[in-house]
């Protein structure tokens, strides 16, 4: 479907360039910006200095990319911050507050085991609004809607939910009781429950049901907690009679964090369909745009996540492990074989909905050993024929099924979802 609405892939010399990713990939009403390391684009070298200097460079790189495509920082809808040390969050926040001033996007902050460049202390990626759309869509002034509710924890440096066009992005929710402002006492089940209650409260505050979530990311301190989290997760999804009738669950990625803010055990963020769009779109559109969930037997099936969930002009693909869909087991032994299996699974999902790999706009890769990245790249580039997607790579301490790699993706969806033709 890539010949209907054109993916707009762009790079600028004013930010670091990478032969294996595009700095900014726009499609429909969003731009996906690749993870930015604290690299000086003039020297191509990592910025020497403390976390403050490195955070400043990451944000300057993002700002340079945004400016190069005719946008401004206030157009950022979501930002992800990956730290080597969670205690650096205080210093990062000081830089961050000056950068965004008062117009804060949704945000995720997580500490990870490793980053792609030795010596890097921080890495950031971003999602920005794209009011002009991509060809052949006509330019349209659309209003970003940033909203908070007292029924969920508030943060002075992030907005709980930011809607633009037909999507809402919800900030990472920690297991904080919004009444006390403190982490919920109790085990991992209670913390997972509080995260989901906070997400549900945010959605209810904007009159959106939980089953309008198309993608959810779960960040765990200990992968051994996943069964307990899943037990609680199934009490929230499916949430409605309609969703239960078709066994709908969102696409999902589980990421192991080295640490989380407030020493939490779990945190979750979400991407939500927003049928009514943002002004000047008609509110009446809301109930006429359909979430399309799809699974194929040619990729691994999971009862707790849908392989791909399409809404409006995007498809969100669940994290793919290097599982052989025929055997249901992890058969590949080395990193190259596992990378190929992950990408073959994504390709099978993409093809099952009549798309091609070059329709992908963003890829997220988690590696058990960051030094495997060169081997991963050798395989990765063989799956794309045209402009490479935006990309984020992080190192993690563990991956489900003891895999070496896990990959998820966002795919352009030119045909849209009904009632669009």
């Amino acid at each position: 479907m890539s010949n209907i609405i054109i993916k707009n892939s762009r790079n600028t010399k004013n930010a670091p360039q990478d032969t294996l990713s595009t700095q900014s990939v726009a499609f429909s009403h969003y731009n996906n910006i690749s993870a930015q390391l604290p690299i000086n684009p003039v020297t191509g070298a990592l910025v020497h200095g403390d976390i403050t200097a490195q955070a400043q460079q990451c944000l300057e790189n993002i700002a340079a990319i945004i400016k190069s495509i005719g946008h401004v920082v206030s157009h950022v809808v979501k930002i992800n911050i990956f730290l080597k040390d969670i205690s650096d969050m205080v210093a990062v926040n000081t830089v961050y507050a000056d950068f965004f001033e008062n117009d804060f996007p949704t945000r995720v902050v997580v500490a990870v085991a490793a980053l792609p460049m030795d010596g890097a202390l921080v890495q950031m990626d971003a999602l920005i609004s794209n009011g002009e759309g991509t060809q052949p869509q006509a330019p349209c002034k659309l209003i970003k809607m940033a909203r908070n509710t007292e029924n969920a924890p508030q943060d002075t440096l992030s907005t709980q939910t930011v809607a633009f066009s037909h999507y809402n992005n919800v900030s990472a929710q920690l297991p904080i009781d919004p009444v006390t402002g403190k982490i919920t006492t109790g085990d991992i089940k209670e913390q997972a429950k509080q995260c989901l209650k906070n997400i549900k409260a945010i959605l209810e505050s904007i009159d959106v049901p939980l089953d309008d979530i198309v993608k959810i990311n779960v960040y765990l301190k200990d992968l051994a907690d996943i069964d307990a989290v899943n037990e609680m997760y199934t009490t929230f999804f499916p949430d409605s009679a309609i969703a239960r009738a078709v066994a709908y669950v969102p696409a999902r990625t589980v990421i192991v964090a080295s640490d989380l803010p407030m020493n939490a055990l779990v945190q979750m963020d979400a991407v939500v369909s927003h049928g009514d769009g943002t002004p000047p779109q008609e509110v009446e559109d809301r109930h006429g745009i359909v979430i399309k969930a799809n699974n194929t037997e040619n990729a691994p099936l999971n009862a707790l996540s849908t392989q791909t969930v399409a809404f409006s002009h995007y498809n969100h693909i669940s994290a793919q492990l290097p599982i052989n869909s025929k055997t249901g087991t992890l058969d590949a032994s080395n990193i190259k074989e596992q990378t190929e299996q992950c990408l073959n699974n994504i390709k099978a999902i993409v093809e099952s909905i009549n798309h091609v790999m070059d329709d992908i706009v963003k890829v997220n890769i988690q590696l058990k050993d960051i030094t495997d990245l060169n081997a991963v790249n050798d395989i990765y580039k063989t799956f794309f024929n045209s402009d490479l997607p935006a990309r984020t790579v992080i190192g993690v301490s563990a991956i489900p099924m003891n895999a070496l790699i896990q990959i998820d993706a966002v795919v352009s969806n030119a045909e849209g979802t009904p009632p669009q033709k």
Side-chain angles (χ1 to χ4, degrees), residues 94-255:
T94 301
V95 179
Y96 189 86
D98 290 339
F99 189 80
F100 283 106
E101 296 181 349
N102 297 317
D103 194 6
F104 292 110
T106 62
R107 190 170 81 153
V108 175
V109 179
V110 60
V112 296
L115 293 171
M117 197 168 189
D118 190 38
L121 303 174
V122 60
Q123 171 179 263
M124 304 182 195
D125 67 22
L127 179 70
I128 73 169
S129 58
N130 186 46
E132 66 272 25
T134 48
Q135 293 292 333
Q137 291 176 332
C140 179
K141 290 183 179 180
L142 297 176
I143 300 169
K144 191 173 77 172
M145 295 179 67
R147 291 171 285 188
N148 289 305
T149 173
E150 294 180 354
N151 296 325
Q154 297 194 30
D155 187 333
T156 57
L157 292 174
S158 67
T159 305
Q160 288 171 353
T161 176
V162 177
F164 183 78
S165 186
H166 287 304
Y167 277 96
N168 272 297
N169 287 271
V170 176
S171 281
Q173 294 301 301
L174 289 161
I176 298 172
D177 184 327
V179 176
T180 66
K182 296 180 180 179
I183 292 286
T184 300
T185 57
D187 60 9
I188 183 64
K189 285 187 183 180
E190 287 303 310
Q191 291 204 10
K193 181 180 180 180
Q194 188 65 59
C195 291
L196 290 163
K197 283 176 64 178
N198 291 342
I199 290 173
K200 188 171 185 177
I202 293 168
L203 296 188
E204 287 176 345
S205 75
I206 56 173
D207 195 29
V208 172
L210 201 64
D211 285 321
D212 277 4
I213 292 176
V214 296
K215 174 71 192 296
I216 196 160
N217 296 309
V218 179
Y219 300 86
L220 287 174
K221 285 258 312 259
D222 187 347
L223 186 56
D225 285 337
I226 188 60
D227 288 340
V229 170
N230 286 342
E231 184 179 337
M232 187 56 63
Y233 191 84
T234 57
T235 68
F236 282 81
F237 299 100
D239 186 52
S240 66
I242 294 173
R244 285 192 291 273
V246 295
Y248 173 72
V249 286
R252 190 174 81 155
T253 297
V254 176
I255 301 164

